Amino acid sequence: MRRALVVAGTLVVLSLAGCAAPPAVPSLEAVRAERSLTMTSAWLRAAAATEQYIERDWPEAVYPPLEFERWVEQDRALAEVAACMDTILGRTAGAISESGIFTLAPRPTKEPAWALPVAQLRCSVQLVPWTGLYPFGGPVEQEWVRHQLTVALPQCARRWGAELVIADLDAAVDASIYPTSTGRSVSAMQSVWLVAELRLVDAATAQHIRATCPDPGRTLVQLGPAEIRPIEFGPSGGGLTGTDETAVQP
């Protein structure tokens, strides 16, 4: 849960002095591992729910177990799913209009009634669109970002004699992890510089620092899609077999 940090009196000035590293600083690889477990668990739940839906509505359906195939670009997701359906059905499943509407083709008379909807459901689970707007920000990631904001970034800024000023540390953590729409921009921004400022330097130097120093938001964006690991369903469906979701260590 996001918490608002109450700053009494004055702003918090983050500088190199007095910012000791916590006893166990998470690595970026630990962040990757935590994200992978988060997305694997979410995918397994979605796949289990899809399996249950198919078994309820089309108990006669016969198909291989659902598997994660790959991430796809968001603007290509519909086309990728349509091509996947074509492959499963062995025919053209439908057509995509110029406005992005997918219209299903008539079902051949000899094709089972469940074949097309099951193919559509399967492909939608096998091919996952990557948007970056996923439930990240777990405890390992939060701790990694806090260390970046209180140690690495202030240290870098001090190389130019600058002070990094953050009025709300929790807001800075959120700005680094969660994409935020700003102004009239159509694309969300993910950066500590949404809430942080630099002091004791001129505008040109401040711009150079923002471009050069390690912005944790920019680093997290560059991680790209999390790995979804091929883990078999547990006995109850959708569980992580042989995996402890709390096992990610710094």
Side-chain angles (χ1 to χ4, degrees):
M1 179 180 295
R2 306 182 190 179
R3 296 175 295 107
L5 180 65
V6 178
V7 181
T10 60
L11 298 178
V12 177
V13 178
L14 301 177
S15 62
L16 180 59
C19 292
V25 179
S27 67
L28 199 55
E29 284 306 309
V31 175
R32 291 179 191 271
E34 182 182 58
R35 285 188 164 201
S36 177
L37 286 176
T38 297
M39 290 311 304
T40 297
S41 180
W43 184 87
L44 286 171
R45 289 193 297 270
T50 301
E51 293 270 17
Q52 292 167 7
Y53 179 74
I54 293 173
E55 290 172 3
R56 184 196 69 193
D57 283 29
W58 301 283
E60 71 279 16
V62 179
Y63 59 95
L66 289 171
E67 295 181 355
F68 171 73
E69 184 176 329
R70 56 190 167 85
W71 291 99
V72 296
E73 295 294 333
Q74 186 177 19
D75 59 357
R76 287 281 308 159
L78 185 58
E80 294 277 5
V81 168
C84 171
M85 293 170 63
D86 291 350
T87 300
I88 291 176
L89 296 172
R91 65 175 179 85
T92 300
I96 303 174
S97 69
E98 292 184 0
S99 59
I101 304 299
F102 182 53
T103 304
L104 296 174
R107 176 174 63 88
T109 55
K110 294 184 179 181
E111 184 177 274
W114 55 264
L116 190 147
V118 168
Q120 189 169 21
L121 287 167
R122 286 185 58 199
C123 292
S124 297
V125 173
Q126 291 174 196
L127 304 170
V128 183
W130 174 253
T131 67
L133 302 176
Y134 285 97
F136 298 139
V140 173
E141 187 167 349
Q142 292 269 345
E143 186 60 35
W144 179 85
V145 172
R146 286 179 180 275
H147 178 263
Q148 295 298 308
L149 297 180
T150 58
V151 179
L153 188 55
Q155 181 176 2
C156 182
R158 292 286 293 181
R159 290 166 52 192
W160 287 272
E163 278 186 339
L164 174 68
V165 181
I166 295 178
D168 187 331
L169 184 56
D170 284 334
V173 171
D174 285 353
S176 300
I177 295 175
Y178 307 106
T180 304
S181 297
T182 58
R184 298 182 179 180
S185 175
V186 295
S187 59
M189 184 178 180
Q190 186 175 333
S191 171
V192 65
W193 300 116
L194 288 170
V195 297
E197 64 175 300
L198 294 165
R199 290 182 178 175
L200 306 182
V201 290
D202 58 35
T205 303
Q207 183 177 2
H208 179 73
I209 292 172
R210 287 192 291 269
T212 304
C213 288
D215 178 354
R218 186 167 59 226
T219 300
L220 292 175
V221 167
Q222 292 171 349
L223 289 182
E227 178 186 9
I228 293 181
R229 300 170 183 173
I231 304 174
E232 294 182 358
F233 291 118
S236 60
L240 291 174
T241 302
T243 302
D244 180 359
E245 291 187 61
T246 64
V248 180
Q249 299 295 327

